[in-house]
């Protein structure tokens, strides 16, 4: 186990994906690719590649007509599961 105060090594791409998810989650409505890239301070191509994977996973949804992005069905499933685990002992 890592000692306190020492940073643990993580996976940068996971942290990048979570950053995009947080941007979408905190938005007042659906966002365009450009809006997400600008908020994340990423290039459009990098943002697009991540969003493709997030859409495939169900964490993000893209409207077919407008192309705008919102949280997807799997994000909702995770939220419901998290609510169901509140108060349970974590091992």
């Amino acid at each position: 186990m890592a000692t306190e105060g020492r940073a643990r090594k993580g996976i940068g791409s996971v942290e990048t994906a979570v950053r995009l998810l947080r941007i979408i989650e905190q938005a007042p409505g659906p966002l365009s690719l450009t809006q997400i890239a600008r908020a994340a301070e990423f290039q459009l191509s990098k943002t697009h590649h991540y969003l493709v994977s997030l859409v495939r996973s169900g964490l993000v949804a893209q409207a077919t007509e407008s192309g705008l992005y919102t949280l997807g069905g799997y994000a909702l499933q995770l939220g419901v599961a998290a609510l169901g685990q509140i108060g349970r002992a974590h091992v």
Side-chain angles (χ1 to χ4, degrees):
M1 194 169 225
T3 59
E4 295 245 351
R6 201 167 104 194
R8 294 164 133 188
K9 185 174 179 176
I11 306 296
S13 58
V14 172
E15 293 172 11
T16 297
V18 170
R19 183 173 176 183
L20 296 178
L21 287 169
R22 288 181 193 266
I23 289 166
I24 295 168
E25 175 257 323
Q26 294 171 1
L31 295 172
S32 69
L33 170 62
T34 302
Q35 290 172 309
I36 297 168
R38 193 173 294 137
E41 298 179 349
F42 294 158
Q43 292 182 351
L44 285 174
S45 60
K46 176 179 180 174
T47 305
H48 180 260
H49 291 304
Y50 274 91
L51 288 172
V52 166
S53 292
L54 289 168
V55 168
R56 285 180 184 163
S57 73
L59 286 166
V60 171
Q62 183 181 24
T64 35
E65 292 199 14
S66 67
L68 299 177
Y69 295 92
T70 59
L71 290 177
Y74 187 57
L76 178 61
Q77 280 183 270
L78 286 175
V80 170
L83 286 173
Q85 294 178 4
I86 290 176
R88 292 185 189 171
H90 293 286
V91 178

